[in-house]
Amino acid sequence: MEPIILASSSPRRQEILKMLNIPFQVIMPNIDETLTSTCLDIEEVPELLAREKVAAVIHSLPAGQEIPWVLGADTVILFNGEIYGKPESNEQACEFLRKFSGKTHEVITSIVLYNGRNKTYSSRKSKTKVTFSQLTDGEIQWYADTGEWHGAAGGYRIQSLASCFIKNIEGSYSGVIGLPIFELYDILKEQNYSLLN
């Protein structure tokens, strides 16, 4: 299989590519992820950011270098019409969890794949509903104090200790982690990148 450039430093995304035996190298994109355009549909933000990550990596490579595949992904949490990104402090992580407590929010992960052969972009979107149990202040503080919220959209990681509080999910578990496997497989198949070799 040809190596893919992963435009993300996320260990979770790297773990999923390793599980699928996809050879990859990581190049961190240098973009501003605080984009909030008022003229943009809120659900389109992750795709735009994923596309910007891919473009940033392509532009960072030496001129004339052959670029086979570049994969970008972005995850946002939507709740009451607002985007919840990565918390900036322990207090903000607690605030996010208080809002999610006993309620359902939506996790949207978009992936964008650049095919260097025909210089095209393809994208897929995964939408998952996540329901938290009712959390006590003690549980919220305990979780925030673990530090798991660092670098996590919405301030929690479903694949770790936060799973104690997840009552239900409807949709893609891997999408909530940050790289939806079905959508990834689908996009690779569409681009004639076979995992079956």
Side-chain angles (χ1 to χ4, degrees):
M1 281 187 275
E2 288 181 296
I4 286 177
I5 294 172
L6 176 63
S8 169
S9 62
S10 163
R12 269 61 54 190
R13 292 179 181 138
Q14 293 173 41
E15 283 163 15
I16 288 171
L17 292 183
K18 282 177 193 162
M19 183 198 71
L20 296 169
N21 291 318
I22 296 174
F24 68 94
Q25 71 171 110
V26 171
I27 299 181
M28 282 269 303
N30 184 16
I31 68 158
D32 178 8
E33 291 192 47
T34 58
L35 169 92
T36 47
S37 173
T38 50
C39 60
L40 194 67
D41 181 335
I42 205 163
E43 289 196 11
E44 301 308 316
V45 168
E47 183 180 332
L48 180 63
L49 288 171
R51 196 174 289 266
E52 282 195 8
K53 289 176 184 179
V54 169
V57 164
I58 291 168
H59 290 115
S60 74
L61 296 170
Q65 178 178 330
E66 192 175 308
I67 304 165
W69 307 92
V70 183
L71 176 67
D74 192 77
T75 302
V76 299
I77 287 180
L78 293 187
F79 181 63
N80 288 344
E82 284 183 51
I83 289 181
Y84 287 75
K86 299 167 185 170
E88 293 174 10
S89 65
N90 190 297
E91 293 72 31
Q92 191 171 42
C94 288
E95 180 192 321
F96 286 5
L97 291 173
R98 262 185 223 100
K99 289 185 177 177
F100 300 155
S101 173
K103 298 189 173 69
T104 300
H105 60 264
E106 191 166 53
V107 180
I108 301 178
T109 297
S110 288
I111 59 173
V112 172
L113 181 70
Y114 175 77
N115 181 336
R117 286 211 183 80
N118 53 25
K119 297 184 173 40
T120 58
Y121 291 84
S122 297
S123 64
R124 294 287 186 282
K125 184 193 297 182
S126 157
K127 294 167 75 171
T128 304
K129 288 189 163 79
V130 176
T131 305
F132 267 73
S133 62
Q134 195 73 44
L135 303 178
T136 66
D137 286 344
E139 286 171 325
I140 290 169
Q141 195 60 58
W142 168 77
Y143 183 74
D145 288 345
T146 68
E148 253 189 27
W149 56 268
H150 283 282
Y156 71 90
R157 297 194 193 285
I158 194 172
Q159 72 278 18
S160 294
L161 294 171
S163 58
C164 295
F165 310 135
I166 308 288
K167 189 175 178 181
N168 187 48
I169 79 162
E170 290 175 51
S172 168
Y173 178 79
S174 56
V176 180
I177 292 173
L179 191 60
I181 295 171
F182 173 80
E183 285 77 5
L184 175 62
Y185 182 70
D186 192 47
I187 208 171
L188 290 170
K189 200 161 66 166
E190 175 199 78
Q191 296 298 311
N192 297 313
Y193 183 105
S194 178
L195 299 183
L196 310 181
N197 303 347

